[in-house]
Amino acid sequence: MTSKAKIGSILFFVAALVGLAYLSINVGPEQDYKIEYIELEGNNYLTKEQYLQFTNLTEKKNYRGITLQIVKDRFEKHPYVLSADVKYDGFSKISVLIKEKKFESILLKDDTQYLLTEKLEVIPVLPGTRRIDYPVILNPAFGSRVNLFSNMKNNVDVLTASKIITAVKLLNPEMYDALSEVDLRNGADIVMFFSSFSYPVIIGRGDEIRKIVYLNSFWNNANINEINSYLDYVDLRFNKHIYLGIANDSLGRNKS
């Protein structure tokens, strides 16, 4: 073996040892350091204190005997947490960077709210949760019970409502911000409600995404603020047409 090859082999061996040492420090089962401080980042839905309370890490006396892997496991058991990156910073401090699940909507069943992730996983709404101003899915046709942490992709109604919400979000952020409810009406015609006006938007059943495209065109071309007071409803159930229901009292105002 040449001298260059020997040097290369030695350097590779040293690099491998350094890598193993790093892994043992960050996720190793043995604790050879003292933890006195935990710094948490990435939290949006709950405060740092609430996350630490869930993981039983609010008091320093509970730090005794824990490892980075234990801290990681505790955070990743939280219903809102997708993953947690835990590392030892030295000076008795560890840093935890959590990645929260992405919520898309709120499912309402029998006056109980559930969060739905972008993958339609059912998550409980925990006390003190903040920043969950998402569209509400009402009255989907399914059984009498909602199972926590189950997936709703196989539920046609919930999947349809999710597609409607996603289409609105992609087409028109302003319209998405105003979208408050998607009422599936237990299998009847789907109706949407927006916070910026009081009348319903009737979607019906079938070709929901195409109808959202038509609604977006109407939203962009009509002066919503000017005509809102004249409307009782907007109906998208008819092929390639948008029907506007005119309020009776508005007809009276026009005559005067």
Side-chain angles (χ1 to χ4, degrees):
M1 182 181 292
T2 64
S3 59
K4 290 184 178 180
K6 289 181 179 179
I7 293 173
S9 299
I10 293 172
L11 291 175
F12 176 79
F13 181 71
V14 172
L17 288 177
V18 171
L20 289 173
Y22 174 80
L23 290 176
S24 66
I25 290 175
N26 282 274
V27 296
E30 300 297 330
Q31 179 182 352
D32 56 359
Y33 46 83
K34 183 179 181 181
I35 298 176
E36 293 185 353
Y37 308 99
I38 296 178
E39 184 177 277
L40 175 64
E41 295 181 358
N43 60 298
N44 291 295
Y45 302 129
L46 295 171
T47 65
K48 296 179 181 180
E49 290 73 19
Q50 287 171 310
Y51 275 117
L52 290 172
Q53 185 176 14
F54 177 89
T55 56
N56 195 28
L57 295 172
T58 53
E59 298 183 17
K60 291 185 179 181
K61 65 180 182 180
N62 296 327
Y63 298 174
R64 187 179 306 166
I66 65 170
T67 64
L68 299 186
Q69 187 63 51
I70 291 175
V71 174
K72 177 181 175 68
D73 291 341
R74 288 188 185 181
F75 274 99
E76 291 184 344
K77 287 179 181 178
H78 195 285
Y80 291 178
V81 175
L82 181 64
S83 63
D85 181 25
V86 183
K87 65 179 182 178
Y88 181 66
D89 291 337
F91 304 102
S92 302
K93 188 185 81 171
I94 64 172
S95 295
V96 181
L97 176 62
I98 61 172
K99 182 179 181 182
E100 295 174 320
K101 296 175 181 178
K102 292 184 178 180
F103 299 130
E104 181 187 70
S105 58
I106 295 173
L107 175 65
L108 184 61
K109 174 67 175 175
D110 298 330
D111 297 325
T112 301
Q113 291 186 341
Y114 305 90
L115 289 163
L116 289 181
T117 69
E118 58 182 356
K119 295 182 179 180
L120 297 186
E121 180 187 8
V122 181
I123 305 295
V125 179
L126 301 180
T129 303
R130 57 188 184 179
R131 301 176 185 175
I132 54 168
D133 186 19
Y134 299 107
V136 178
I137 297 175
L138 299 169
N139 303 313
F142 61 87
S144 59
R145 184 177 179 180
V146 177
N147 295 318
L148 293 176
F149 308 109
S150 64
N151 192 288
M152 302 296 289
K153 285 184 178 179
N154 293 327
N155 184 286
V156 175
D157 263 11
V158 175
L159 182 60
T160 298
S162 177
K163 289 180 178 179
I164 290 173
I165 292 170
T166 300
V168 172
K169 185 176 183 178
L170 292 175
L171 285 171
N172 192 326
E174 179 186 358
M175 184 164 61
Y176 171 76
D177 288 341
L179 178 59
S180 57
E181 297 179 4
V182 178
D183 191 348
L184 296 153
R185 302 176 67 233
N186 296 303
D189 285 333
I190 300 171
V191 178
M192 301 169 62
F193 294 90
F194 293 84
S195 60
S196 52
F197 45 79
S198 59
Y199 56 83
V201 176
I202 306 170
I203 299 294
R205 293 279 175 169
D207 293 328
E208 292 88 2
I209 304 306
R210 176 176 57 83
K211 293 172 183 177
I212 295 301
V213 173
Y214 293 155
L215 179 61
N216 178 58
S217 179
F218 169 73
W219 186 287
N220 289 330
N221 290 295
N223 192 326
I224 298 295
N225 292 328
E226 288 186 4
I227 67 174
N228 274 345
S229 59
Y230 298 102
L231 296 180
D232 262 347
Y233 63 88
V234 172
D235 197 338
L236 298 166
R237 289 177 293 178
F238 304 96
N239 186 33
K240 298 181 181 180
H241 291 85
I242 298 178
Y243 287 86
L244 307 180
I246 306 300
N248 291 329
D249 60 342
S250 69
L251 296 176
R253 288 199 299 270
N254 288 338
K255 289 180 181 180
S256 62

